[in-house]
């Protein structure tokens, strides 16, 4: 299957309830610092919403809950990889997306046969403190050459205005958070994203 080129990330199913009807077809649920029962309820709600709207749900980090809920996709950061049971994830049939930030991480991830590789931050990001500076578009081009046919996701400091250049540099998919969640008109912004990515 081909993943949609527009990949927003939200921290609550309420965002999915709002944005999926606009035509979002690929979405990540990234929940932080919530009790297990809340996480599992959110995943179940998000999965039902995505199925209703013909969208692909990617669950960030909570691989066991994703397996238990019968999800199709999981996204793991580098720290998550240290604790994740990759054989169990694969045995459950989950597809795997992984974050990378430098050469060592990319080599590590490529040995895991990922279903997509994310590179970030392409531009400076306000979302979280990172030890990596912006990667820039030349790194996107280099990463795409190295990952070959594996879909490459560009993330970090993304905006509607920057998206065309990131695609031109080699990214297959652009992932976005604050350009939507902190926008004065999130709905209008999602419509702009859909227009620029399809």
């Amino acid at each position: 299957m081909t993943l949609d080129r527009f990949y927003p990330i939200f921290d609550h199913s309420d965002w999915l309830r709002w944005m999926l009807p606009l035509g979002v077809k690929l979405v990540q649920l990234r929940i932080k610092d919530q009790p297990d029962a809340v996480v599992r309820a959110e995943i179940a709600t998000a999965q039902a919403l995505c199925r209703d709207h013909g969208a692909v749900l990617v669950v960030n980090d909570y691989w066991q809950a994703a397996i238990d809920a019968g999800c199709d996709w999981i996204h793991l950061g580098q720290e998550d990889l240290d604790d994740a049971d990759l054989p169990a994830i694969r045995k459950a049939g989950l597809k795997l997306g992984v974050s990378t930030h430098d050469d060592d991480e990319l080599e590590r991830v490529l040995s895991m046969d990922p279903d997509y590789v994310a590179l970030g931050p392409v531009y400076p990001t306000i979302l979280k403190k990172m030890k990596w500076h912006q990667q820039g578009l030349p790194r996107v081009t280099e990463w795409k050459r190295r990952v070959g046919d594996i879909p490459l996701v560009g993330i970090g400091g993304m905006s509607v205005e920057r998206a065309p250049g990131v695609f031109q540099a080699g990214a297959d998919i652009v992932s976005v958070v604050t350009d939507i969640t902190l926008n004065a008109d999130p709905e209008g912004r999602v419509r702009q994203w859909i227009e620029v990515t399809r």
Side-chain angles (χ1 to χ4, degrees), residues 70-151:
C71 293
D72 299 316
W73 278 86
I74 185 83
H75 178 95
L76 297 176
Q78 290 290 317
E79 303 79 20
D80 305 326
L81 283 172
D82 296 335
D83 305 320
D85 185 342
L86 288 177
I89 289 168
R90 290 305 195 184
K91 188 176 175 196
L94 264 75
K95 293 189 182 305
L96 175 67
V98 189
S99 299
T100 63
H101 311 86
D102 60 33
D103 292 316
D104 291 342
E105 291 182 356
L106 181 60
E107 287 307 313
R108 178 190 188 194
V109 166
L110 287 177
S111 72
M112 298 171 182
D113 193 26
D115 295 287
Y116 75 65
V117 171
L119 169 67
V122 176
Y123 293 99
T125 177
I126 59 170
L127 188 63
K128 52 186 176 181
K129 291 264 185 254
M130 286 191 155
K131 62 183 180 184
W132 297 277
H133 298 295
Q134 70 183 75
Q135 305 277 1
L137 296 180
R139 181 65 74 98
V140 174
T141 304
E142 180 198 340
W143 244 235
K144 184 58 191 172
R145 182 180 53 74
R146 292 172 66 182
V147 303
D149 292 336
I150 301 168

Side-chain angles (χ1 to χ4, degrees), residues 2 11 22-23 25 38-39 51 65 79 89 94 114 134 138-139 157 159:
T2 304
D11 63 2
L22 301 179
K25 291 300 175 192
V38 171
V39 169
R51 284 192 175 146
E79 303 79 20
I89 289 168
L94 264 75
Q134 70 183 75
R139 181 65 74 98
S159 66

Side-chain angles (χ1 to χ4, degrees), residues 34-42:
Q34 293 293 327
D36 187 61
V38 171
V39 169
R40 288 174 179 272
E42 276 290 289

Side-chain angles (χ1 to χ4, degrees), residues 7-70:
Y7 184 17
I9 298 175
F10 299 119
D11 63 2
H12 198 280
S13 60
D14 284 351
W15 278 102
L16 278 68
R17 198 172 276 111
W18 190 14
M19 297 301 166
L20 289 172
L22 301 179
V24 171
K25 291 300 175 192
L26 173 64
V27 65
Q28 185 182 123
L29 182 66
R30 180 161 69 192
I31 305 168
K32 296 293 178 192
D33 307 318
Q34 293 293 327
D36 187 61
V38 171
V39 169
R40 288 174 179 272
E42 276 290 289
I43 290 171
T45 301
Q47 189 182 26
L49 287 165
C50 284
R51 284 192 175 146
D52 287 349
H53 291 278
V56 174
L57 173 67
V58 182
V59 175
N60 184 290
D61 188 8
Y62 294 99
W63 58 270
Q64 187 61 62
I67 289 173
D68 295 345

